[in-house]
Amino acid sequence: YGGIMRMQVDYAKKTWRPMEIYLTSDIPGFGLGIVVGLYIRHKDGQTLLCSKAFPGIVRVDAENGKLVPMSAMSFPGGGGAPGTPEVMAKMKADNKLTYQWADSNGNGQMDLDEVSFPPGVMTGPTYVDDTLTYYMGCADSAWQWIPLNTGLAYYRPQGFTANGAPIYDNAKQQFVGPLPESLLGKGPAGIWRDDQGNMFAAFNGGNAAGMGFWAGRVGDNKVVKYTPDDKLQWVVGRHSLTGGAGPGEMRYIWQIIGAPHGCVAVSDVESSFVHLWDTDGLWVGRLLENPVLNGLPSWVFQIKCENFGGSVYTEKDGNVLFFASNENNVNVFRIRGWDKFQRQQGSLKL
């Protein structure tokens, strides 16, 4: 799956230049998880790349120009993380569903004596915060290695190896929940935790309905919010049955890409959609919905491929950068004025 680049961007001059290139083909199994999407975290002077696809972490070895695997947890049957043949064989022989690995000797390889086989069942995709706590779906059981998702949970590191690899124990998972009854059995399409400690999760489900390659596979789309004390606060969203999407409607959720200025941004794989709700569950709109063209053609503000990537980042001055995945390129949009939104308050008599 190629590689990733670290680039230096001068937005004033509208120029950029590559600083480092790392080949993900050098880390079998981890490469796909990193290319699908990653979170960049820093700990003890190390830059860590944490996969969105599964709970796996690699560190950046800038001096030697390579990526070094550090930690991984698998989904049922070894799904997601890159188990070695020896690990997979032992997991099957011992009738275990998942494994966990932390690199204790610093060689970046999954040695069998570094692997444990916990009883819990996890589902992805994932979110990881600055403490390297992972947030995922969780299940009480699995049917033929397919997890029957019953809730959400987070997994704090129980310690670190001498070279800084986090050690997890999913027998000590902390549950967030419960899931709304309509979402039981469904794995999350995306998870995010904002700076205030609110947790958001997005789901696809329901019987197939609607139009489109992706949207026609599901019949329901939901975004849920949990408060910082892990209590369910609201559930919003509905599925579009047409080729477009009305206010509050979604087609096929791919991930949650950020939570700028009291909103949550939900990426839809179809039609360039990035849906926005505020933290009270009120519909805000969509990114790129009514752009100021400034003489540019409208296609500049369209995502010309399946919307698998993307992220939003809040700058120190309050402006927001939207990194939009596109066909063989990444478009970067600056959104001004988001921090000037005002929320009206008052009583409504019915």
Side-chain angles (χ1 to χ4, degrees), residues 271-316:
S271 303
S272 301
F273 289 150
V274 177
H275 315 286
L276 298 168
W277 280 267
D278 77 358
T279 52
D280 294 320
L282 299 177
W283 173 251
V284 175
R286 297 186 177 98
L287 296 183
L288 306 183
E289 192 169 33
N290 293 295
V292 178
L293 298 180
N294 286 330
L296 295 172
S298 60
W299 59 261
V300 172
F301 299 92
Q302 297 172 3
I303 300 172
K304 293 294 189 178
C305 64
E306 292 173 308
N307 188 19
F308 292 135
S311 63
V312 292
Y313 172 77
T314 304
E315 297 183 293
K316 292 180 180 179

Side-chain angles (χ1 to χ4, degrees), residues 192-228:
W192 197 274
R193 195 147 203 166
D194 68 13
D195 293 340
Q196 286 71 49
N198 299 303
M199 184 174 177
F200 305 92
F203 296 83
N204 298 305
N207 296 322
M211 302 170 60
F213 178 79
W214 290 98
R217 304 181 184 198
V218 299
D220 194 17
N221 313 105
K222 289 289 186 284
V223 179
V224 303
K225 177 195 172 184
Y226 293 89
T227 60

Side-chain angles (χ1 to χ4, degrees), residues 254-270:
W254 196 254
Q255 60 181 322
I256 297 177
I257 63 172
H261 295 303
C263 296
V264 57
V266 180
S267 176
D268 198 312
V269 73
E270 292 194 336

Side-chain angles (χ1 to χ4, degrees), residues 9 13 29 31 72-73 78 110-111 142 145 181 196 211 246 312:
V9 182
K13 296 181 179 179
M73 293 187 280
M110 190 179 292
D111 298 321
W145 287 350
E181 186 174 350
Q196 286 71 49
M211 302 170 60
V312 292

Side-chain angles (χ1 to χ4, degrees), residues 83-94 99 110-113 115 117:
T84 64
E86 294 79 12
V87 169
M88 299 298 288
K90 181 169 178 54
M91 185 173 67
K92 287 192 175 184
D94 294 350
Y99 64 83
M110 190 179 292
D111 298 321
L112 189 57
D113 61 357
V115 178
F117 301 90

